[in-house]
Amino acid sequence: MSNQPATLASTGEFSVIDALVARTGQPTTTLLGPGDDCAIVAAADGRVVATVDVLVDGVHFRTDWASGEQIGRRAALASMADVAAMGATPTALLVGLCAPAETPTDLVMDIGRGLDAEASKVGAGIVGGDITRSTVLTISVTVLGDLAGREPVRRSGARVGDVVAVVGRLGWAAAGLAVLSRGFRSPAALVGSYRVPEPPIEQGVVAALAGATSMIDVSDGLIADLGHLADESGVAIEVATRVVPVHARLTEVASALGRDPMEWAMTGGDDHALAATFPDKASVPADWTPIGMVREGSGIVVDGQPWTGTGGWDHFGSGG
């Protein structure tokens, strides 16, 4: 009897899918779950918010830096944060997994466990997916969302005079990546933030109800993503670094590594915080931090000067 661990090749596609499905639950919005050619999900609003994110081993995660469950949780959260940024609530996930034949079955099961854990937290379910062979472990997560009758909060709605605010962690994942890249595994909080971010999913709806005029998921870096809001809205966004939240732990680690904590907060990606604009300071929700204003013009202005540096992550540009 072999003592070799089971792999996708030895277990088989359909056995793995059956095992994954057996471990997942479904919310009441799932009218028909996994097992047929398609799933059927209730859309009482009459509209469906939809997004997709693709995570690739060696680019978005590393299996020697994170467990399968952590990788699955990260994959779910990255896509669900985009739904939150539209002011919607995630309802269903569709997952595509591409992996080498020698991938351990346990790793795949753990990824599925992580995906299901994060979906369940927000009342969503994994309603379907596919597994196929590839040379690199790749996870594609499509998330559907519900607007509950509200208008979507788009990137193009910022207006001159609006207040710019953020909620969620900034720079933590970038700091964690810097720590891991140096061969360390602590501080655990920062390393953990790189492995599994903590996006404020519920704050998307909070912002929408508060009258947010535009909103975005901070996945590539605060400056880069505020730049998208500015471009789509045809305005300039002014940021004051003195009010950008920088946690003391980031300052401590930056000092030890000879780095600037503000650089992590302004350009670090993968935290999936939310940035939004609001009509006035009074409409900014309690958990959000005002960091600037919307002005006439274009681009990003930081502390009174046009930003000319790298704004964040670009897969195919100089930063990617």
Side-chain angles (χ1 to χ4, degrees):
M1 186 174 181
S2 174
N3 291 323
Q4 294 296 317
T7 64
L8 290 178
S10 64
T11 304
E13 172 188 357
F14 298 111
S15 294
V16 172
I17 291 174
D18 289 344
L20 287 169
V21 169
R23 297 186 181 189
T24 61
Q26 296 295 333
T28 56
T29 51
T30 303
L31 304 182
L32 180 64
D36 219 305
D37 288 319
C38 291
I40 301 176
V41 179
D45 181 88
R47 300 166 297 174
V48 176
V49 176
T51 188
V52 63
D53 268 299
V54 179
L55 283 75
V56 180
D57 190 7
V59 178
H60 303 92
F61 63 87
R62 282 177 45 171
T63 54
D64 58 335
W65 281 359
S67 69
E69 184 168 351
Q70 289 169 335
I71 293 167
R73 290 173 62 192
R74 179 175 177 168
L77 289 165
S79 282
M80 292 196 298
D82 284 328
V83 170
M86 296 293 288
T89 300
T91 57
L93 281 68
L94 295 157
V95 180
L97 180 71
C98 305
E102 63 272 17
T103 302
T105 302
D106 285 347
L107 175 61
V108 175
M109 299 305 296
D110 288 344
I111 290 172
R113 185 179 296 109
L115 286 158
D116 183 60
E118 293 301 336
S120 298
K121 284 183 183 178
V122 299
I126 299 175
V127 299
D130 191 22
I131 297 178
T132 191
R133 180 183 297 194
S134 72
T135 56
V136 180
L137 178 60
T138 304
I139 308 166
S140 173
V141 182
T142 297
V143 179
L144 308 181
D146 178 26
L147 285 164
R150 297 180 297 275
E151 288 303 306
V153 184
R154 301 178 60 185
R155 298 180 179 186
S156 57
R159 297 292 179 263
V160 174
D162 284 354
V163 175
V164 182
V166 296
V167 65
R169 293 175 169 177
L170 293 173
W172 285 59
L177 175 59
V179 169
L180 286 165
S181 298
R182 295 290 187 94
F184 302 113
R185 295 295 185 269
S186 64
L190 297 183
V191 171
S193 293
Y194 172 75
R195 290 170 172 158
V196 182
E198 296 185 12
I201 303 294
E202 74 289 346
Q203 288 295 324
V205 172
V206 170
L209 293 174
T213 55
S214 69
M215 186 157 47
I216 193 167
D217 157 40
V218 182
S219 57
D220 296 326
L222 180 62
I223 293 297
D225 289 314
L226 287 179
H228 295 316
L229 291 187
D231 291 345
E232 292 295 327
S233 298
V235 297
I237 289 182
E238 183 177 276
V239 176
T241 57
R242 61 182 175 79
V243 291
V244 173
V246 177
H247 196 277
R249 183 58 60 87
L250 263 68
T251 302
E252 294 169 5
V253 173
S255 178
L257 298 181
R259 299 288 297 274
D260 179 1
M262 185 57 70
E263 179 186 358
W264 286 336
M266 298 289 276
T267 65
D270 289 334
D271 283 301
H272 299 285
L274 295 176
T277 56
F278 296 89
D280 49 52
K281 201 163 186 178
S283 61
V284 177
D287 292 329
W288 291 65
T289 301
I291 62 168
M293 297 290 295
V294 178
R295 305 295 191 190
E296 292 184 355
S298 62
I300 303 296
V301 178
V302 177
D303 295 336
Q305 298 296 320
W307 181 269
T308 57
T310 301
W313 181 261
D314 180 347
H315 284 280
F316 300 103
S318 58

